Amino acid sequence: MWVHGRTGVRLVFDHQHFWCWNPEGLDLRETVSAMVSTWPLGEVAKVHYSSPRTELREVSQVDRATGKRGVKLVPPVATGHADYVNPFEFAMFLRAVEGLDFDVMLEAKAKDLALFRLRADLQRYGQGLGARFGLAALP
């Protein structure tokens, strides 16, 4: 908000960065609302949404002692984007910011496949949230 106040530039809320870099402990809804308010009337604000990586990764490396190539399991980095979006976390986010108007831009390694999967997951698990995106709930 400091940057917006001095430059007038629109702000984009980034869900994952909010959780990774929020030392002040700002409130989610208040922060999204403040950032959405920086957009001019008639323009739809943008929100970036991603889930953090949670899986172990296999990294190929050379053993210094033997010179042989091997595979090492590396824990996930919380700031890395996942292949898909966690539908339960996304549903909680949507409930927390209900009533605010913005477009969601997904950041996921699987690109369009992540969107298609999230749409199906919202229909199945979203308890009516899919209707906000024109999706009918599945039985």
Side-chain angles (χ1 to χ4, degrees):
M1 293 305 293
W2 182 89
V3 170
H4 172 72
R6 284 158 183 76
T7 66
V9 69
R10 295 170 281 198
L11 301 177
V12 174
F13 177 81
D14 187 292
H15 180 262
Q16 190 167 349
H17 290 165
F18 176 78
W19 292 113
C20 292
W21 314 111
N22 183 12
E24 299 89 0
L26 300 174
D27 178 75
L28 174 69
R29 183 180 175 82
E30 289 175 13
T31 304
V32 174
S33 180
M35 290 191 172
V36 165
S37 74
T38 67
W39 287 68
L41 289 176
E43 290 190 37
V44 180
K46 306 294 183 256
V47 166
H48 290 181
Y49 192 93
S50 59
S51 295
R53 282 193 171 278
T54 59
E55 73 280 356
L56 289 172
R57 293 177 297 129
E58 290 184 353
V59 177
S60 177
Q61 65 182 32
V62 176
D63 185 308
R64 290 183 183 179
T66 65
K68 294 182 180 179
R69 182 163 296 281
V71 174
K72 177 181 177 183
L73 291 177
V74 179
V77 178
T79 56
H81 293 158
D83 295 330
Y84 292 89
V85 173
N86 181 312
F88 306 108
E89 291 174 1
F90 187 68
M92 286 191 302
F93 170 72
L94 290 180
R95 286 188 185 95
V97 297
E98 189 169 357
L100 300 177
D101 188 28
F102 53 83
D103 284 344
V104 175
M105 302 175 76
L106 294 182
E107 296 178 305
K109 299 290 184 188
K111 308 285 184 215
D112 290 349
L113 294 176
L115 171 62
F116 297 140
R117 172 83 172 264
L118 181 59
R119 288 172 54 96
D121 286 344
L122 281 178
Q123 285 180 286
R124 185 172 297 116
Y125 308 119
Q127 300 169 345
L129 288 173
R132 291 175 64 179
F133 302 98
L135 304 170
L138 295 175

